[in-house]
Amino acid sequence: MIHLLKRGLNSMKGSNFKRKLINARRVFVIGSHSFIRNAWLSVAATVVMGITLACILLTLFANYTLTSTVKSFTDNIDVSIYFNANVSKEQIDEVSSEIRNDTSLGVKEVTYVSKEEARATYEASIKDSIKELQSLSQTNDDTFPASIKVKTYDTAKLQNVVEITRAKKYSKIVYKDSYKDDAKRVAVDRLGNIAKFLRNAGFIASILFGAISILVILNTIRMAIFNRKDEIEIMQLIGASKWYIRGPFLVEASIYGAIAGIFASAFFYLLVLGQAPKLGSYVEEIRPSVEKFQSLIWMIVPATLIIGILIGSFSAYLAIRKHLRFSHSK
Amino acid sequence: MRKIGTIYQDFKLLPNRTVFENIAFALEIVGMTSKEINFTVPRVIDLVGLNGKEKNFPKELSGGEQQRVAIARAVVRQPKILIADEPTGNLDPKHAWDVVAVLEKINQHGTTVLMTTHNQDIVKKLKRRVITIDGGRISNDTSVKAGAK
């Protein structure tokens, strides 16, 4: 009898790697069974995690859309400095250089518009109005002053730009500027502030839900450990390794994260991106954001799954460290 | 591979696994394949005399049978030493002798069996080396030649 046992055991001599793979597969199976066995707890943990991941995706999408929206508005905000008719190109260049070289202004662009270009632009804008075209033919080149159009990265800095051009040294060459404390600039600034607030709110919401997910999963795994306390003790006595005992809990929590990732991605891509273009008539920038996120689906979906698995595993690890003590090390 | 097997007074079987699965578990944790397990476990079940009980759960077995499952689990990895901590403590005399008989059989096959017991009948009838411990110290040590390994 014993020689037959020896034959069975001797066959074990050989691939240690193969044994480890077999053990890993068994750990995965035990973890999966545990997920199914604690069905209601598993559903609760998965739902909370799904909300967290959906919140992260929505925050990313909203952040991208808002940033694009604000950028498209601020790109159109500029100030035009108009020069007197007798001012030479060199004098205008001097003003442009002073503005461009002042690093505190954060100048994005300074564009020179000559008298001829200004006239041609106006002419193009009134090409359908015969009456205005007739009026235009009565004017000369000096009617349309040369100007420079200044754009800054921060719209608030436009005020600093006009302070330079309104200085006494330029009073003889600068005719006027288009800067006013107007509603458009104020509205864009306000939009920028709203966008920043919503970005921060989304970030905080994601962190909050993430913390809640970790706590829910930690508690779920803690309960699973408690329910299997006797079984774990026996496993230790028989000689199971620490990771053979811990592994199934990590697998179980990872499954919560993976399933939550799938649901969050499906919710985001089917519901949110599917319905978002309907808002496109109100906010044009949503369409490019939708296209961008759809083009990155191959990256976003796996990333969501991985984040879910990481959050789940981390929570389980915390629970195991705190509640699964070993009386011996192996 | 672990060279010491242990059995306990309260059996320490996994209640939601069958006899076969309880024994197989000791082989699963060391990475034995299903084929190897299916080869080895039935032979150990035969060794401890539990043929026909493979699919029973521990709660469906008598105390003696449960202890024999525990013995099977302990010896399936062929330990050099089997430590039995009061293996008959929870058993009636008949089942207690069944368990002792199994331990003797295992000893005959070359495994050293170290058994702790308060049962003087078993000690007298086995006629093996007896080490008496009193207050944590060895107070007596007999060495019996017949059947000792």
Side-chain angles (χ1 to χ4, degrees):
Chain A
M1 173 64 58
I2 294 297
H3 73 278
L4 289 170
L5 283 178
K6 275 185 180 167
R7 197 182 107 187
L9 290 167
N10 282 344
S11 72
M12 284 188 60
K13 289 177 190 167
S15 174
N16 210 22
F17 177 70
K18 186 183 164 191
R19 302 289 164 199
K20 284 189 172 136
L21 268 182
I22 291 169
N23 268 354
R25 186 182 61 82
R26 285 196 174 124
V27 163
F28 183 80
V29 167
I30 296 168
S32 309
H33 285 166
S34 190
F35 175 86
I36 295 165
R37 204 187 314 149
N38 305 318
W40 283 113
L41 282 175
S42 302
V43 165
T46 306
V47 165
V48 173
M49 175 84 85
I51 292 171
T52 301
L53 295 172
C55 196
I56 291 172
L57 285 172
L58 284 169
T59 301
L60 284 171
F61 178 70
N63 186 31
Y64 187 85
T65 305
L66 285 167
T67 304
S68 306
T69 306
V70 171
K71 188 173 181 301
S72 73
F73 279 118
T74 54
D75 276 353
N76 291 326
I77 299 290
D78 57 31
V79 66
S80 290
I81 314 293
Y82 300 98
F83 295 93
N84 290 327
N86 58 345
V87 173
S88 67
K89 179 75 170 37
E90 289 71 30
Q91 284 173 300
I92 295 173
D93 286 346
E94 193 189 316
V95 176
S96 300
S97 295
E98 183 174 346
I99 292 169
R100 213 181 269 118
N101 294 338
D102 189 340
T103 51
S104 66
L105 296 175
V107 172
K108 196 196 290 185
E109 200 177 75
V110 179
T111 312
Y112 169 69
V113 179
S114 65
K115 296 177 202 177
E116 295 76 22
E117 282 168 344
R119 186 189 176 92
T121 305
Y122 181 70
E123 206 169 342
S125 70
I126 58 159
K127 64 180 188 301
D128 295 327
S129 168
I130 296 172
K131 197 174 174 183
E132 289 190 50
L133 280 170
Q134 279 174 345
S135 303
L136 183 63
S137 65
Q138 307 296 318
T139 62
N140 59 26
D141 281 347
D142 287 346
T143 307
F144 296 92
S147 63
I148 52 173
K149 221 179 257 189
V150 181
K151 284 186 184 173
T152 54
Y153 290 107
D154 180 357
T155 55
K157 296 289 184 183
L158 290 174
Q159 185 170 357
N160 300 78
V161 170
V162 297
E163 278 169 12
I164 292 173
T165 58
R166 286 177 186 174
K168 210 170 174 184
K169 64 177 180 176
Y170 294 128
S171 59
K172 288 201 170 112
I173 61 173
V174 172
Y175 168 49
K176 67 170 186 175
D177 58 59
S178 66
Y179 181 82
K180 289 173 215 167
D181 254 337
D182 61 13
K184 187 181 175 188
R185 194 181 57 76
V186 169
V188 170
D189 283 349
R190 198 167 287 161
L191 182 64
N193 289 336
I194 291 171
K196 196 173 168 186
F197 171 76
L198 288 173
R199 260 202 302 278
N200 290 340
F203 179 70
I204 290 168
S206 300
I207 298 280
L208 197 63
F209 275 111
I212 293 170
S213 294
I214 289 173
L215 286 171
V216 167
I217 293 174
L218 195 151
N219 196 50
T220 304
I221 299 296
R222 186 177 71 88
M223 286 169 67
I225 291 171
F226 182 75
N227 288 339
R228 291 168 58 189
K229 211 169 89 171
D230 292 339
E231 192 178 321
I232 290 166
E233 187 198 342
I234 292 168
M235 286 164 73
Q236 288 182 62
L237 288 170
I238 295 169
S241 68
K242 259 195 276 188
W243 287 105
Y244 197 89
I245 298 171
R246 285 175 172 170
F249 296 109
L250 291 170
V251 166
E252 187 179 343
S254 298
I255 293 173
Y256 298 151
I259 294 177
I262 291 168
F263 279 122
S265 301
F267 167 76
F268 180 68
Y269 275 95
L270 295 174
L271 279 173
V272 175
L273 291 193
Q275 300 301 314
K278 286 181 186 169
L279 292 173
S281 56
Y282 303 104
V283 184
E284 269 186 35
E285 283 69 23
I286 278 193
R287 211 165 280 120
S289 297
V290 169
E291 284 165 11
K292 181 79 177 174
F293 274 72
Q294 281 172 341
S295 70
L296 291 176
I297 188 172
W298 59 271
M299 192 172 80
I300 291 175
V301 173
T304 308
L305 252 74
I306 288 168
I307 291 170
I309 290 169
L310 285 174
I311 294 176
S313 312
F314 174 69
S315 311
Y317 180 71
L318 288 177
I320 287 164
R321 257 181 79 94
K322 197 165 156 45
H323 301 289
L324 192 53
R325 304 270 185 212
F326 292 95
S327 54
H328 63 277
S329 59
K330 185 165 182 177
Chain B
M1 180 88 74
R2 212 182 191 192
K3 291 300 175 197
I4 300 174
T6 46
I7 57 174
Y8 305 90
Q9 186 174 356
D10 56 354
F11 321 135
K12 300 242 186 260
L13 297 177
L14 296 166
N16 53 354
R17 293 186 187 221
T18 62
V19 167
F20 188 99
E21 288 163 352
N22 262 286
I23 300 167
F25 185 73
L27 299 177
E28 285 172 7
I29 59 176
V30 293
M32 260 202 173
T33 64
S34 301
K35 197 176 166 186
E36 289 160 340
I37 290 170
N38 289 336
F39 176 84
T40 311
V41 172
R43 283 153 181 81
V44 175
I45 289 176
D46 184 54
L47 179 70
V48 300
L50 283 174
N51 292 315
K53 303 272 183 181
E54 293 86 347
K55 290 187 181 164
N56 288 90
F57 289 92
K59 64 181 178 191
E60 296 168 349
L61 304 174
S62 67
E65 288 169 335
Q66 288 186 56
Q67 193 60 288
R68 280 189 272 161
V69 175
I71 292 170
R73 185 181 62 189
V75 301
V76 76
R77 294 203 318 234
Q78 262 223 299
K80 289 197 166 17
I81 301 172
L82 176 65
I83 299 174
D85 181 15
E86 292 271 15
T88 61
N90 282 349
L91 305 176
D92 57 77
K94 183 199 176 298
H95 289 118
W97 280 111
D98 288 342
V99 168
V100 172
V102 170
L103 291 174
E104 277 199 297
K105 198 171 161 187
I106 287 165
N107 178 238
Q108 279 161 15
H109 284 109
T111 302
T112 300
V113 178
L114 181 62
M115 183 173 81
T116 67
T117 184
H118 289 97
N119 192 322
Q120 296 286 352
D121 282 340
I122 289 174
V123 171
K124 283 176 190 164
K125 284 182 183 167
L126 276 179
K127 295 194 175 70
R128 301 288 183 152
R129 179 180 175 187
V130 177
I131 299 170
T132 309
I133 297 174
D134 185 11
R137 290 176 172 276
I138 296 175
S139 60
N140 192 31
D141 183 356
T142 67
S143 176
V144 182
K145 285 181 185 174
K149 290 223 179 208

